[in-house]
Amino acid sequence: MLLTDKVAVITGAASPRGLGFATAKLFADQGATVVIIDLDITRSQNAAASLGERHLGLAADVADELQVNAAIEQILGKYGRVDVLVNNAGITQPLRLMDIKRENYDAVLDVSLRGTLLMSQAVIPTMRRQKSGSIVCISSVSAQRGGGIFGGPHYSAAKAGVLGLSRAMARELGPDNVRVNAITPGLIQTDITAGKLTDEMRQNILSGIPLNRLGDAQDIARAALFLGCDLSSYCTGITLDVNGGMLIH
């Protein structure tokens, strides 16, 4: 059991087929007490309950500082610590460059980038006091290759910002024994992609993936587990590519 006695907070984890819930389930299986934070309280509570009695579901908009701080205060009041934070919450919009409006830009960057900052700021004081902690930030291969299949340029910008923020936090928090790392998933089969890939699109994508398959949520969950637990105790500031070889650099 790699996360025995650890408290893990995972944002955007209420969707049954999402990366966040797969991570929550794997963390719970590895002994962690899991807190799921998502926008809808009923979905969050149902997702947490499906993991077992000791887990917690909360509602918060990760882009709202007051809601984020209130959620973390509730977690600390109940469990007294936070050992792992997975900044998974994010949204995407399939817009081309000249179609991006201010409201589109603000919406995508608020959740992925501002949300990562606010959630991290909320747990850092506790992790510093503990002299231990792991923050895992979910970015995207689109941040590295300059565009994705379903996300617009503003999505790539937000996820590139997550990479820069993760590295800067890793540098600053290292002396406190708080590690910060990022994962860059490739094309993963979730509700976001369900029904949107034609056979022709799928074949074109697979032709550029050496492992010749699309990823699934478990692939990302396992990477998050590695970065969240002590197996990666000497890793901070890294970007862990999980894309089947779609981007080799």
Side-chain angles (χ1 to χ4, degrees), residues 1-168:
M1 302 283 270
L2 295 171
L3 294 173
T4 301
D5 299 327
K6 303 294 186 182
V7 175
V9 178
I10 307 174
T11 66
S15 175
R17 295 189 67 242
L19 308 183
F21 183 73
T23 302
K25 188 175 187 309
L26 183 58
F27 278 25
D29 290 345
Q30 288 294 322
T33 296
V34 175
V35 182
I36 289 174
I37 296 180
D38 216 309
L39 286 171
D40 184 276
I41 185 62
T42 300
R43 295 184 69 216
S44 292
Q45 290 176 339
N46 288 343
S50 72
L51 302 177
E53 291 183 0
R54 73 177 186 275
H55 309 290
L56 179 65
L58 299 176
D61 179 350
V62 296
D64 185 309
E65 186 173 3
L66 293 177
Q67 292 185 37
V68 166
N69 289 339
I72 297 302
E73 286 175 11
Q74 187 171 343
I75 293 165
L76 293 176
K78 185 175 180 65
Y79 301 114
R81 61 186 298 114
V82 174
D83 299 286
V84 185
L85 167 65
V86 181
N87 285 309
N88 171 72
I91 60 172
T92 186
Q93 296 171 338
L95 298 175
R96 297 186 68 81
L97 180 63
M98 298 306 293
D99 296 326
I100 300 170
K101 307 301 181 187
R102 183 186 182 99
E103 58 268 24
N104 305 128
Y105 183 87
D106 288 348
V108 170
L109 268 78
D110 263 2
V111 178
S112 287
L113 190 50
R114 190 188 305 276
T116 294
L117 173 65
L118 293 178
M119 285 298 306
S120 299
Q121 286 177 325
V123 303
I124 284 167
T126 297
M127 289 183 172
R128 277 178 160 158
R129 285 194 297 271
Q130 295 168 181
K131 284 294 181 181
S132 68
S134 174
I135 298 174
V136 181
C137 301
I138 306 299
S139 178
S140 170
V141 69
S142 70
Q144 299 162 309
R145 65 191 294 269
I149 297 167
F150 296 108
H154 54 330
Y155 177 75
S156 296
K159 291 303 189 179
V162 168
L163 291 181
L165 178 60
S166 299
R167 292 165 184 163

